[in-house]
Amino acid sequence: MLMALAAPFADPPAGPVVCGAVAVALFGWSVAYLYLMRTRPRTWVWVVDVAVMCALCLAQPLLVDPALLLRMLGWVSPVASVAVVALQWHVRPLPGALAAAAVCVAFVVGAALAPGVTVGQALAVGGIWTAVEVGLSRLVRRLVQRGGEVADERMARRFAAEREAELARARRAEQRAHWATVHDTAASTLLMVGLGGVDGREPWLREQVARDVAALNGATTPAGCLQDVVRRAVEGARIPVDLRAAGDLWLPEAAAGAVGGAVAEALENVARHARTRNAQVGAVVDAGRVRVTVSDAGRGFDPARVPAGRVGLALSVTERMAGAGGRAVVRSAPGEGTEVRLEWPR
């Protein structure tokens, strides 16, 4: 459009006044065209623009010096070609081709009507070049569109694969959490009964069975203070426990469930395997970090030689803490007792 505003100073045959009026009108329409295509894109808008370009091309004998036209320096050619080249990005191929053909024909006719310009020269200075530019514009648009389609397809496949992987991880985590619950509750209680470890008259048995049923029905450990979480786990132990707690911290539901479940399982292991009469539990809060230890002076074991089928510590303690963003460390040796350390960062 800046070229159109400079056109009156290029010695147009109709004079600078007429050419200036045409340039101002063209500039005004260009502004209106950009506004309409951005806010209210309609077919009639670009049809009118093509008509304006055709009229401009037909008026070349009045608006462009023939000498400049033959040297491919006329201002109408770039204005018209840019208009139809840009149009290829907004319309379908058939309307775009028809618009380009109309402008090319109008340019050749208008240029050929100028004094001293033949049809062949008109084709050479504008008609052919405009057609080539339109074809290249349509090709680039198709390449960009195809590249976007390929990128969208690959991203869709990647997102689908990520969703499937996430769903698989969630299913595995849910399954392992269910296994841990079963191991900590019904399986543990039934094993004690099957091995003759209880005779049915123990005062804690009724409460433990009730907790087992609640856990299997989906009950979760509510969020709460560290000391309350540990105290509830200690109260369900089958052996006397020496509890020492220093400091307190509010635990969200996931952390409370992990810490409480891990403490309960560690105490159950003491009662079942350690061959000792009591255990010690310590719970401290240091710089926002929760540390809970469950220790005993029992017979101990070699962690490296635990059979693969024994999943109590691995599933109910280690993985449970890891799932809540914490960690568990088991230290033991034959004849030296066992210590289970639980850590959860705030």
Side-chain angles (χ1 to χ4, degrees):
M1 292 305 103
L2 294 178
M3 296 184 64
L5 295 178
F9 305 99
D11 195 21
V17 176
V18 174
C19 190
V22 172
V24 171
L26 181 63
F27 184 83
W29 163 247
S30 299
V31 173
Y33 173 80
L34 292 175
Y35 172 77
L36 292 172
M37 289 297 289
R38 185 179 298 271
T39 59
R40 302 182 183 86
R42 296 289 187 274
T43 301
W44 69 267
V45 177
W46 65 264
V47 170
V48 171
D49 187 62
V50 171
V52 170
M53 293 301 112
C54 290
L56 184 67
C57 291
L58 293 173
Q60 286 184 101
L62 302 175
L63 304 177
V64 182
D65 185 353
L68 295 177
L69 184 62
L70 290 174
R71 293 165 58 190
M72 301 180 68
L73 297 177
W75 64 274
V76 172
S77 176
V79 171
S81 62
V82 167
V84 292
V85 164
L87 184 63
Q88 307 306 311
W89 292 75
H90 301 287
V91 299
R92 295 182 179 275
L94 181 58
L98 293 176
V103 172
C104 289
V105 170
F107 181 88
V108 171
V109 172
L113 292 176
V117 180
T118 65
V119 174
Q121 291 173 324
L123 285 170
V125 299
I128 297 177
W129 281 112
T130 301
V132 171
E133 290 170 345
V134 168
L136 292 176
S137 177
R138 178 60 64 176
L139 176 61
V140 172
R141 182 187 185 280
R142 178 54 186 159
L143 291 176
V144 172
Q145 181 181 13
R146 180 55 185 163
E149 292 172 352
V150 171
D152 290 343
E153 181 181 355
R154 291 181 178 178
M155 290 181 66
R157 287 201 303 266
R158 178 178 177 181
F159 290 154
E162 290 179 352
R163 285 194 299 269
E164 288 297 326
E166 189 64 29
L167 287 174
R169 283 194 295 268
R171 285 193 293 265
R172 288 194 298 269
E174 183 178 358
Q175 185 180 48
R176 296 184 73 84
H178 177 70
W179 289 346
T181 302
V182 172
H183 175 274
D184 295 350
T185 56
S188 179
T189 303
L190 292 175
L191 180 62
M192 287 188 300
V193 174
L195 294 177
V198 296
D199 59 13
R201 293 189 297 270
E202 287 78 5
W204 49 265
L205 183 58
R206 182 184 298 273
E207 295 182 2
Q208 179 163 321
V209 171
R211 288 195 298 269
D212 293 350
V213 173
L216 292 175
N217 285 334
T220 59
T221 302
C225 296
L226 171 64
Q227 293 194 19
D228 293 338
V229 171
V230 173
R231 187 176 294 108
R232 283 195 297 268
V234 168
E235 289 174 352
R238 294 193 289 125
I239 59 174
V241 177
D242 179 17
L243 174 60
R244 297 182 181 181
D248 206 355
L249 185 69
W250 182 264
L251 300 180
E253 182 176 307
V259 173
V263 170
E265 176 62 19
L267 291 173
E268 181 62 26
N269 283 338
V270 174
R272 188 183 303 168
H273 305 296
R275 296 181 182 175
T276 184
R277 294 181 179 274
N278 53 51
Q280 296 77 43
V281 174
V284 298
V285 177
D286 182 18
R289 180 183 294 272
V290 170
R291 289 201 302 268
V292 180
T293 58
V294 180
S295 58
D296 65 80
R299 62 174 182 169
F301 66 98
D302 184 357
R305 302 183 64 180
V306 175
R310 301 285 293 277
V311 297
L313 288 175
L315 186 62
S316 298
V317 176
T318 305
E319 289 193 11
R320 176 173 274 162
M321 289 299 299
R327 69 170 189 152
V329 179
V330 179
R331 296 177 180 175
S332 183
E336 297 183 8
T338 302
E339 179 185 82
V340 179
R341 175 177 294 180
L342 312 175
E343 294 183 355
W344 182 76
R346 183 176 181 178

